[in-house]
């Protein structure tokens, strides 16, 4: 694993703490899973923390896993121009649990 990814992983673990349900590194990419309840606070931390500085929402998409209890993933791809890093953030949800919009964080 490159030192850039290791530094980003350490900064994410320190900055997000228990708000990250999971953090995985695979194929040189980091994916963080967060709850719908913590989602906006996490987005704000990812944007405002100088160690992270994810200022651009590149992509927003959804994935349906019909066999799972929380069958939907809302997936955000973020870019830190300052650190030239990308990050995937996933929020798992079901048909009844809305995921708050990130428009207030990434207009």
């Amino acid at each position: 694993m490159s030192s850039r990814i290791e530094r980003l992983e350490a900064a994410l673990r320190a900055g997000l703490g228990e708000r990250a349900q999971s953090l995985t590194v695979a194929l040189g990419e980091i994916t963080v899973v967060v709850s719908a309840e913590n989602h906006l606070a996490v987005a704000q931390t990812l944007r405002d923390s100088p160690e992270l500085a994810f200022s651009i929402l590149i992509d927003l998409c959804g994935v349906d896993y019909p066999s799972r209890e929380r069958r939907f993933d809302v997936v955000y791809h973020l870019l830190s121009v300052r650190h030239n890093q990308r990050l995937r953030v996933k929020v798992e949800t079901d048909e009844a649990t809305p995921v708050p919009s990130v428009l207030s964080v990434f207009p």
Side-chain angles (χ1 to χ4, degrees), residues 34-86:
V34 300
S35 68
E37 297 81 29
N38 289 326
H39 171 58
L40 287 179
V42 165
Q44 192 164 2
T45 298
L46 292 171
R47 182 195 67 193
D48 296 344
S49 172
E51 296 81 20
L52 301 170
F54 286 96
S55 58
I56 299 175
L57 174 63
I58 297 173
D59 185 36
L60 166 64
C61 60
V63 184
D64 184 3
Y65 297 98
S67 61
R68 285 192 339 202
E69 183 178 338
R70 290 183 300 184
R71 66 182 280 181
F72 300 109
D73 280 358
V74 179
V75 183
Y76 301 87
H77 294 100
L78 303 175
L79 174 66
S80 172
V81 176
R82 180 182 300 165
H83 302 294
N84 192 26
Q85 295 278 1
R86 295 175 187 265

Side-chain angles (χ1 to χ4, degrees), residues 88-101:
R88 179 180 303 112
V89 179
K90 291 184 180 182
V91 181
E92 296 177 353
T93 192
D94 56 27
E95 295 90 343
T97 308
V99 175
S101 171

